[in-house]
Amino acid sequence: MTESADRWFRRYRATTAPRLRLVCLPHAGGSPTAYRTWARRLPEDVELLATCYPGRQDRFAEPFADSIGELADGVAQALKPLLDTPIALFGHSMGAVVAHEVTRLLDARHGVRPLRLFVSGADAPHRRERTDLHSRDDAEFLAEIRQLGSSSLAEIDDPALLEMVLPVIKADYRLVETYRPDPAAKTRCPVVAYVGDQDEDCAIEDVRAWSQTTTAGFEMRVFPGDHFYLEQQEPELLAHLTGHLRADLRLRAAVGRTAGAAAEHGA
């Protein structure tokens, strides 16, 4: 990978000849390690690129992004040298919004349409409720995010870690809560939406509204669990996701063979 790609993406397994790259974007306050265990469950020819946002891990000294648009722009730029291989994107919670914007940028700037966009634990952008948690005092803010249920948020109960992680989480919440999507903007790749049936942060109808953000196909899958259902349902989630990726690659190959045969016949 290039220097920019190395800064933005983590690879937890060597993939010598990938047929597809799966770009994963974490939730607010999250890091690429949220996807560390995914690498061993994905097919050997699928390369996992787990995104590291500015301001965390080895990018701790970098300033936080000022907007979802700026964050998406950084991801899209870092992906530019990796577009020689088909890609798909997966984003959870805030990551779903970032993935949606990255998908649009790749198409608009580079003419690259990801095979599929997977969004998880997130209302459709135009259906998001406007909140202001990032502007509240620390105690009230922490009380709200504790209700989400992720084991990855356990560090907020460690006084030694809280001082480091709280600014990161609040900065991400500011991005999401100040994000104003273009309601007319649509992607041209199929969208699959995932949600937990006990997710108090997402209404099923608002998740289903992702269907209005694409001109291609749409599917929704509901799993048992809360906002972080994917931690308990990882095998089932990845089996479903991988099934789509395999089908997309087969379709792409078939289209390529048909186009090649047509060109040969025309010649």
Side-chain angles (χ1 to χ4, degrees):
M1 291 195 289
T2 65
E3 180 181 352
S4 175
D6 282 336
R7 199 168 86 253
W8 279 90
F9 307 117
R10 305 291 174 267
R11 293 183 294 179
Y12 296 116
R13 181 192 66 189
T15 308
T16 54
R19 292 183 61 210
L20 183 145
R21 291 185 167 110
L22 177 64
V23 184
C24 294
L25 297 112
H27 55 278
S31 69
T33 54
Y35 300 106
R36 178 186 291 273
T37 58
W38 285 33
R40 67 172 182 262
R41 296 187 186 276
L42 290 172
E44 291 185 359
D45 57 357
V46 174
E47 182 177 51
L48 172 68
L49 300 179
T51 306
C52 184
Y53 303 139
R56 62 215 73 197
Q57 293 194 341
D58 57 347
R59 304 187 69 184
F60 186 78
E62 296 182 36
F64 300 123
D66 286 331
S67 67
I68 290 290
E70 179 184 316
L71 193 57
D73 181 69
V75 175
Q77 287 293 334
L79 282 173
K80 186 176 178 181
L82 304 175
L83 299 178
D84 58 329
T85 298
I87 70 165
L89 292 96
F90 176 96
H92 179 67
S93 200
M94 181 185 87
V97 176
V98 180
H100 170 67
E101 291 295 334
V102 172
T103 298
R104 293 177 51 212
L105 287 174
L106 291 177
D107 195 357
R109 293 181 180 176
H110 308 298
V112 172
R113 222 179 300 178
L115 293 183
R116 197 167 291 263
L117 170 61
F118 300 94
V119 293
S120 168
D123 295 338
H126 61 288
R127 296 285 287 268
R128 296 186 64 88
E129 179 184 356
R130 294 194 177 185
T131 56
D132 63 347
L133 289 178
H134 74 280
S135 63
R136 300 185 189 180
D137 64 64
D138 292 351
E140 188 175 358
F141 178 77
L142 289 170
E144 289 288 337
I145 67 172
R146 281 191 178 98
Q147 298 178 25
L148 296 177
S150 171
S151 60
S152 66
L153 295 177
E155 57 195 11
I156 68 175
D157 292 318
D158 183 336
L161 294 175
L162 180 59
E163 186 177 351
M164 290 191 300
V165 301
L166 184 57
V168 175
I169 303 173
K170 272 199 163 184
D172 285 352
Y173 266 75
R174 178 181 59 81
L175 295 187
V176 175
E177 293 180 328
T178 57
Y179 171 60
R180 299 293 179 262
D182 177 358
K186 296 183 183 296
T187 61
R188 297 193 299 158
C189 70
V191 173
V192 178
Y194 299 118
V195 66
D197 61 2
Q198 300 174 51
D199 188 345
E200 296 183 2
D201 211 41
C202 296
I204 294 296
E205 288 306 311
D206 291 336
V207 176
R208 186 174 287 115
W210 279 98
S211 63
Q212 300 166 27
T213 69
T214 176
T215 60
F218 174 77
E219 177 185 342
M220 185 171 76
R221 174 78 181 267
V222 181
F223 285 94
D226 58 19
H227 188 64
F228 286 95
Y229 74 90
L230 66 174
E231 294 178 355
Q232 291 75 40
Q233 304 295 329
E234 182 178 304
E236 293 78 7
L237 171 63
L238 290 183
H240 188 270
L241 182 151
T242 299
H244 275 298
L245 296 182
R246 285 298 191 205
D248 291 339
L249 284 173
R250 287 195 298 269
L251 178 60
R252 183 184 180 91
V255 170
R257 287 194 297 271
T258 301
E264 183 179 347
H265 180 74

